[in-house]
């Protein structure tokens, strides 16, 4: 079941350097939300705060509230490992486990989660189908994941996240290292996942945001300048800085 997220007064630091300043944002359940903005504006920091990966960086910290349904993931006693099982993440560079087969890459998290052996094959197949990869690999599931093309590896990483059946899926510039054909595959998958999952994608590609996102947030210097429907952001921006960025005047 897709859950929305409510971000309240989120701040983040790297040591003494403040990267995010009082972010307040509602992530709509079952929709795709794009985070856009120039390099260094806090996009990746923001998305890593949504599943408590930011704090893994030495000297990094965050404050505020991030609600997943009725759970404040920054609440006292909340286990960040459990948070990351509910809020999956796909990174910019494909990172399949090179020593594992395609099947074992997808099944790795299921084994750690204690999923019964008799259920694992079905969950792996489901995840590979959702990631649009099943028909391409069904006859070579025991081949190393490292043998796949870059675009296939990224979809394998997407399947690995989907196998755990998260409520929210985060993607940090998942297509930046991919060719146009592989990018189209990923975008098609995201459109298919909409409704079943809540998706947040960081992208530098304005055209990609306009193609796949229902909502878009424009970040600048660690703040949300503007947030709304993607159509409004791209055709009727309220803030001059948003218009300047989407028309290529800076960034």
């Amino acid at each position: 079941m897709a859950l929305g997220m409510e971000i309240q007064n989120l701040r983040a630091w790297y040591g003494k350097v403040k990267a995010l300043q009082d972010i307040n944002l509602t992530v709509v359940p079952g929709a795709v939300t794009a985070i856009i903005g120039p390099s260094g504006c806090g996009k990746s920091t923001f998305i890593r705060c949504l599943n408590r990966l930011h704090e893994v960086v030495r000297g990094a910290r965050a404050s505020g509230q991030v609600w997943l349904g009725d759970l404040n993931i920054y609440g006292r006693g909340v286990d960040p490992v459990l948070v990351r099982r509910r809020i999956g993440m796909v990174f910019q560079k494909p990172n399949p486990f090179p020593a594992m087969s395609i099947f074992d890459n997808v099944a790795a998290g299921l084994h750690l989660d204690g999923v019964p052996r008799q259920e694992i094959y079905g969950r792996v197949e489901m995840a590979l189908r959702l990631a649009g990869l099943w028909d391409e690999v069904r006859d070579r599931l025991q081949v190393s994941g490292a043998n796949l093309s870059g675009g296939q590896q990224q979809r394998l990483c997407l399947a690995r996240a989907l196998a755990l059946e998260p409520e929210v899926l985060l993607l940090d510039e998942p297509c930046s290292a991919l060719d146009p054909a592989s990018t189209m595959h990923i975008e098609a998958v995201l459109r298919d996942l909409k409704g079943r999952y809540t998706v947040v994608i960081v992208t530098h590609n304005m055209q990609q945001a306009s193609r796949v996102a229902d909502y878009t947030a424009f970040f600048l210097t660690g703040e949300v300048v503007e947030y709304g429907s993607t159509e409004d952001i791209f055709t009727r921006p309220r803030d001059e800085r948003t218009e300047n960025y989407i028309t290529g005047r800076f960034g």
Side-chain angles (χ1 to χ4, degrees):
M1 173 183 171
L3 289 180
M5 301 187 77
E6 191 73 35
I7 295 94
Q8 300 173 348
N9 303 315
L10 178 64
R11 303 173 183 177
W13 293 261
Y14 293 96
K16 294 182 179 180
V17 177
K18 196 172 187 180
L20 295 178
Q21 308 187 45
D22 294 307
I23 304 296
N24 290 278
L25 198 67
T26 298
V27 177
V28 178
V32 178
T33 297
I35 310 298
I36 64 172
S39 296
C41 70
K43 303 186 301 296
S44 292
T45 299
F46 171 71
I47 202 173
R48 290 172 67 90
C49 285
L50 296 188
N51 71 344
R52 295 192 58 175
L53 269 177
H54 174 66
E55 65 203 59
V56 173
V57 178
R58 186 173 182 180
R61 60 189 176 91
S63 70
Q65 298 181 342
V66 175
W67 293 89
L68 175 64
D70 59 1
L71 173 70
N72 174 18
I73 69 171
Y74 283 94
R76 187 183 300 274
V78 174
D79 184 348
V81 174
L82 296 180
V83 168
R84 292 168 200 145
R85 288 178 184 169
R86 297 181 64 181
I87 306 174
M89 185 87 166
V90 176
F91 298 94
Q92 181 176 1
K93 183 179 179 181
N95 59 343
F97 304 132
M100 289 187 179
S101 67
I102 293 169
F103 183 92
D104 288 340
N105 259 276
V106 182
L110 300 176
H111 289 298
L112 291 173
D113 230 16
V115 174
R117 184 176 297 273
Q118 63 269 24
E119 294 181 20
I120 287 180
Y121 186 90
R123 292 273 291 270
V124 169
E125 179 179 343
M126 176 208 70
L128 288 168
R129 286 187 182 279
L130 287 172
L133 193 57
W134 174 253
D135 289 339
E136 298 169 39
V137 302
R138 60 189 301 173
D139 297 324
R140 49 188 180 130
L141 293 176
Q142 299 309 314
V143 170
S144 169
N147 287 354
L148 298 175
S149 69
Q152 289 174 323
Q153 286 185 23
Q154 191 64 299
R155 282 183 284 150
L156 178 63
C157 295
L158 179 56
R160 191 170 64 199
L162 291 171
L164 292 173
E165 299 180 346
E167 289 136 327
V168 178
L169 185 65
L170 310 175
L171 303 103
D172 191 359
E173 297 192 54
C175 302
S176 65
L178 303 183
D179 60 77
S182 297
T183 296
M184 287 178 60
H185 272 301
I186 295 288
E187 291 181 2
V189 169
L190 294 182
R191 284 190 286 269
D192 289 342
L193 293 177
K194 186 166 63 176
R196 181 168 183 162
Y197 296 92
T198 300
V199 178
V200 182
I201 178 172
V202 168
T203 180
H204 269 112
N205 187 323
M206 235 82 64
Q207 290 75 29
Q208 181 171 77
S210 66
R211 287 192 297 263
V212 304
D214 303 290
Y215 300 91
T216 296
F218 171 51
F219 276 52
L220 189 64
T221 60
E223 299 179 301
V224 178
V225 172
E226 191 166 350
Y227 173 60
S229 74
T230 297
E231 182 180 2
D232 285 347
I233 292 294
F234 281 91
T235 63
R236 295 178 292 274
R238 300 184 303 274
D239 194 292
E240 184 180 4
R241 293 169 294 176
T242 308
E243 183 174 5
N244 287 341
Y245 180 71
I246 64 176
T247 56
R249 292 178 191 148
F250 78 92

